[in-house]
Amino acid sequence: MNPAEKADDTLLTGRITNAEGAVMGTIVNYACHPTTLAWDNELISPDYIGAMRETVEHATGAPCLFLQGASGELSPGEQYSGDTALADRYGRQLGLAVLSSLNGMLPAGKALVFEGAVESGAPLGIWREGDFSPSTDLKAEMKVISMPLKDLPTLAEIEAQWAACEDHVRKERLWRQRGIRKSLGDGSHADMPLWVWKLGGAMLAGQPNEAYSNFQTDLRQALAPAAVAVINIVNGYAGYLPPAGHYQRDSYAVWQTPFAAGGLELLTRTALDISHQLNRPA
C-alpha cells in the first residue's frame, strides 16, 4: 500500500432486467487484485469477490457476474493475510456499494424528463420519470496488437540459467520467465488480442494482461459520458502493462513484464481508435 498514491476506486454496476422489470442479473466491474489472502491460507478461495457476490445475490435474488478491471497496481489495503474473515469483510463492503448503486437506478425503461419550470422565489425545474427507449446498438471488434518486447534472453538461455541456479527464489522467477518466453516466442514482438464491444450506450474492453488503472481512467475520460468497463486477464496472460514513466522504477511489475515501455499507451490508443469507430453512425 502507498498512501501517497491516488487509487482508482471506480465501481461500475450494470443491471439486467426482463420485460416486466424484474432483475435477472447484475454485472460488477471493479479493479482490485484478489490478494487479501496469501500463504497462511490453505483453502481454495474466491477472496473478496466471493462475499461480494453472495451479498448482491442474496439481496437481488439473481446471479452476479464480476469483471476484474485494470488493476495492475491496485490491491486491498491489508493483504497477504490468512484471515478469511478479512476477505469476506472486503467483499461485503464492495457488495453493499453495488447495492447502493442499484438502489439509485431508475426503473428499467425510465429516465428523468424535464417538464418545465414553476415560478416561485426562484424558477424551480421540474423533472419527472418518463418512458425511455435505451439504445439497442450492438457491435464488436477484435484486433491483434503487435506489442514490442524488452530485450529478453531466449528460451534456451533462460532454461540454461534455471538449470544452473541454486537460489530457490531466483529459480522460481526464472521458471516464471521461462513460461512467459515460451508462450510469446523468441521474437522482438508478441501478438496480443484486444476485444472491444459497444453495448447500447456502454463500451466494454478486454485484454489478456495486467494493465495499470491508467487504461480504464484514460478510456473513461475520452469516451465520456459513456459507461466504460475494462477487463484484465481475458483469455490468457503474459505480464504487466505499467505506464511508460514507471519503467525507471525498481518494481516487480517493471522487471516481471516482458513488454517494453509504451505497451500500455499503445493498448490505450488502439482501444480508443476502435471505440470511436464503433461509435460512428452507420
Side-chain angles (χ1 to χ4, degrees):
M1 185 173 69
N2 184 354
E5 293 282 348
K6 182 180 179 181
D8 177 27
D9 60 357
T10 302
L11 169 65
L12 189 68
T13 305
R15 183 187 62 195
I16 304 169
T17 58
N18 62 15
E20 287 72 41
V23 177
M24 305 299 293
T26 56
I27 302 173
V28 176
N29 182 218
Y30 187 70
C32 180
H33 268 74
T35 51
T36 313
L37 303 174
W39 49 87
D40 285 334
N41 172 56
E42 297 180 348
L43 303 173
I44 295 174
S45 171
D47 208 88
Y48 70 86
I49 299 163
M52 182 279 295
R53 292 181 61 198
E54 289 176 353
T55 300
V56 175
E57 290 178 352
H58 177 75
T60 62
C64 175
L65 173 66
F66 179 75
L67 305 178
Q68 178 65 264
S71 54
E73 84 287 25
L74 302 178
S75 64
E78 184 180 349
Q79 59 178 338
Y80 312 136
S81 170
D83 184 4
T84 56
L86 177 62
D88 288 346
R89 178 163 62 85
Y90 281 148
R92 287 191 296 271
Q93 179 184 359
L94 180 59
L96 292 172
V98 172
L99 295 179
S100 176
S101 64
L102 287 173
N103 194 61
M105 294 181 183
L106 293 172
K110 297 293 183 179
L112 291 179
V113 178
F114 181 63
E115 291 188 347
V118 173
E119 294 297 334
S120 182
L124 307 178
I126 307 301
W127 293 77
R128 306 289 187 200
E129 283 187 13
D131 291 336
F132 167 71
S133 296
S135 170
T136 58
D137 201 11
L138 178 61
K139 300 177 183 177
E141 182 174 337
M142 190 277 279
K143 184 170 184 178
V144 175
I145 306 173
S146 180
M147 300 281 281
L149 301 178
K150 294 189 295 192
D151 186 14
L152 301 171
T154 65
L155 178 61
E157 290 169 340
I158 296 172
E159 289 179 338
Q161 292 178 38
W162 179 85
C165 183
E166 296 183 356
D167 179 89
H168 74 278
V169 174
R170 174 64 177 159
K171 202 174 185 73
E172 171 64 21
R173 291 175 179 177
L174 285 169
W175 187 255
R176 294 185 184 187
Q177 189 181 46
R178 173 192 176 275
I180 292 172
R181 198 45 149 158
K182 188 174 182 179
S183 66
L184 298 179
D186 280 336
S188 62
H189 288 70
D191 289 340
M192 289 288 121
L194 167 67
W195 292 267
V196 181
W197 296 266
K198 185 180 190 304
L199 308 173
M203 303 299 298
L204 174 61
Q207 54 81 44
N209 297 298
E210 290 197 78
Y212 271 44
S213 62
N214 303 60
F215 183 42
Q216 59 202 15
T217 56
D218 289 349
L219 289 184
R220 287 174 182 147
Q221 182 177 5
L223 298 174
V228 178
V230 167
I231 324 175
N232 265 1
I233 318 181
V234 176
N235 297 335
Y237 174 76
Y240 284 85
L241 287 172
H246 283 226
Y247 275 72
Q248 303 304 316
R249 299 183 181 182
D250 181 18
S251 69
Y252 170 76
V254 170
W255 55 256
Q256 180 276 347
T257 182
F259 301 108
L264 177 65
E265 290 74 16
L266 174 59
L267 173 69
T268 303
R269 290 195 303 271
T270 307
L272 282 175
D273 289 344
I274 296 174
S275 299
H276 290 315
Q277 179 182 340
L278 295 180
N279 278 317
R280 291 194 189 105

